[in-house]
Amino acid sequence: MLIIPKENPDIGNLNSYYLDIPKLIEHYQGELGSGAIYLKGPGEEGAIFFDKEEILDGVLQDKDGEFVGKTAVKRLIDATGDSNFVIDIYGIDPEKIYFWANVRGAKKIYKNLSTEFTDLEGLIKKMSTEKLTGYIDISINNGEEGGLIFYHNGEIIGGSYSRGKGELNGSKESQKRLIEKTKQLGGVFHVSEISLTKKKETNEPVKIREKTASNVLRALEELLGIFERMVTSDKKIKTDFHTLLKKILIEKADKYAFLDPFAGEFKYSHRKITFSGDASDEDLVNALIESVEDLAGELGILPMLADKLAPWSQKYAKTLEGFGINY
């Protein structure tokens, strides 16, 4: 079972058949800022967490098991092309999204505790005494209602109830309401523990690695710039350039892992490239040229691209020849 906000979604019951998932994520990054996209299909379900700048995490549960991170995100995007998913979209407070994105690492320590034998009020106190870092998942009246109570080292830091946008609302009134509802309607409780690993934080911007030759980056920036102008000016192409680029990079990520947009190693924005990966210059050049050529082929503009790139290939002939490329 995936842990997502229990309140009603901001947008519900969308059908993936009509949607481009990367473009949908980009739209709601701008519309909501931060949140989660929940996808449920035949025998599988998943969630993608995002803030206004990037994909934070993903989780997928299907017949093959559970997948997390960029693997889950890629499999979910690929699966929506083959199967119909029902999609719900939750807006989540930016201050709370990182908590939600890391909940999936929790492990259940108590399962299927029912109100027939367990009092929720007593369970809440017990978890405080046991210094739980994790949460109690509460299902009320056979799943018709529900809630979550989150703990850090035994202290209640909030919960998700019937109201709010993924709020971690730890008020006594909300807990009391859950306790009373379980007494009236019956409920089932699961307790999960989260092992927290502290990530090293830094305010330093990502730097382009020094070993990447400046002329290589300039060549690749100009290549993408030429291609971007071609796509943007072609009125027959309805999808925006950055969505198309992200799509081809995801496709190429199996061969060139550093291109995966969700890994964050390669970024192209405002005609500038930022690359923080360990791939060689040769691999980077080959990966981007291959991506551009394949995308141009899909769009039916490959012959035109070759003409547009003639001055570029002459300008950087020595650089390209150094990588065994005769363009």
Side-chain angles (χ1 to χ4, degrees):
M1 180 182 66
L2 298 181
I3 299 297
I4 58 173
K6 294 291 187 181
E7 70 278 358
N8 292 329
D10 289 71
I11 306 293
N13 292 316
L14 301 179
N15 192 310
S16 66
Y17 179 81
Y18 303 100
L19 299 172
D20 179 310
I21 301 303
K23 194 168 184 179
L24 182 73
I25 294 171
E26 286 187 359
H27 173 76
Y28 282 104
Q29 283 176 310
E31 189 76 15
L32 298 175
S34 60
I37 295 179
Y38 172 67
L39 307 93
K40 186 171 181 60
E44 55 191 332
E45 63 176 337
I48 300 172
F49 295 90
F50 60 88
D51 65 11
K52 64 181 181 179
E53 296 180 348
E54 61 184 341
I55 302 294
L56 299 174
D57 200 4
V59 58
L60 167 65
Q61 295 173 353
D62 63 15
K63 58 182 176 59
D64 296 323
E66 180 172 289
F67 303 88
V68 297
K70 63 182 182 181
T71 300
V73 174
K74 185 178 187 303
R75 288 178 70 104
L76 278 167
I77 291 173
D78 290 344
T80 55
D82 301 322
S83 305
N84 282 342
F85 284 77
V86 175
I87 296 176
D88 294 332
I89 301 168
Y90 296 86
I92 299 176
D93 190 312
E95 295 181 1
K96 310 300 188 299
I97 186 62
Y98 299 98
F99 187 95
W100 282 101
N102 286 285
V103 166
R104 51 93 170 164
K107 294 182 180 179
K108 284 184 182 177
I109 55 175
Y110 299 107
K111 302 178 183 179
N112 299 314
L113 303 176
S114 73
T115 48
E116 186 177 356
F117 304 104
T118 305
D119 175 69
L120 179 58
E121 187 172 14
L123 182 64
I124 291 171
K125 292 178 181 178
K126 176 179 171 65
M127 291 305 101
S128 292
T129 302
E130 293 186 3
K131 302 295 183 182
L132 175 72
T133 294
Y135 58 89
I136 303 174
D137 184 7
I138 303 159
S139 176
I140 301 171
N141 196 21
N142 295 319
E144 290 187 7
E145 297 181 61
L148 297 163
I149 298 176
F150 292 98
Y151 291 81
H152 183 270
N153 198 30
E155 180 183 353
I156 295 176
I157 60 172
S160 175
Y161 306 114
S162 298
R163 302 177 183 177
K165 295 174 69 63
E167 294 180 6
L168 298 183
N169 178 355
S171 70
K172 293 289 185 181
E173 292 76 12
S174 296
Q175 291 174 40
K176 184 177 179 180
R177 186 164 58 249
L178 280 172
I179 291 167
E180 291 302 318
K181 284 192 173 185
T182 58
K183 288 179 178 178
Q184 295 170 7
L185 304 173
V188 176
F189 320 126
H190 306 281
V191 182
S192 295
E193 184 176 37
I194 300 173
S195 297
L196 296 180
T197 55
K198 201 168 187 177
K199 295 182 179 179
K200 183 179 180 181
E201 295 183 357
T202 176
N203 292 323
E204 294 182 6
V206 176
K207 297 180 180 179
I208 299 173
R209 62 195 180 113
E210 294 179 359
K211 68 178 182 180
T212 300
S214 59
N215 64 319
V216 170
L217 288 176
R218 282 199 301 270
L220 294 175
E221 286 171 348
E222 289 184 27
L223 168 68
L224 290 175
I226 293 168
F227 188 42
E228 181 178 355
R229 287 191 292 273
M230 285 181 61
V231 172
T232 303
S233 63
D234 192 329
K235 295 182 179 180
K236 294 180 181 178
I237 301 173
K238 303 301 182 182
T239 307
D240 69 90
F241 174 76
H242 287 280
T243 298
L244 291 169
L245 180 63
K246 181 178 285 188
K247 180 177 179 292
I248 195 66
L249 294 183
I250 290 172
E251 291 175 4
K252 292 294 178 183
D254 286 338
K255 183 176 180 181
Y256 304 105
F258 55 86
L259 288 183
D260 191 330
F262 308 117
E265 294 180 15
F266 174 85
K267 292 183 180 180
Y268 174 72
S269 179
H270 303 293
R271 306 283 169 86
K272 294 293 182 182
I273 291 173
T274 302
F275 184 62
S276 58
D278 295 324
S280 67
D281 292 349
E282 183 176 359
D283 283 344
L284 184 60
V285 170
N286 279 290
L288 286 179
I289 289 178
E290 185 178 320
S291 298
V292 167
E293 288 180 340
D294 285 2
L295 182 54
E298 292 178 14
L299 297 173
I301 59 173
L302 188 56
M304 188 187 305
L305 176 67
D307 291 339
K308 292 286 186 181
L309 288 180
W312 173 84
S313 62
Q314 291 176 7
K315 179 178 180 180
Y316 293 103
K318 290 184 178 180
T319 299
L320 297 174
E321 287 172 6
F323 300 127
I325 300 172
N326 294 309
Y327 209 90

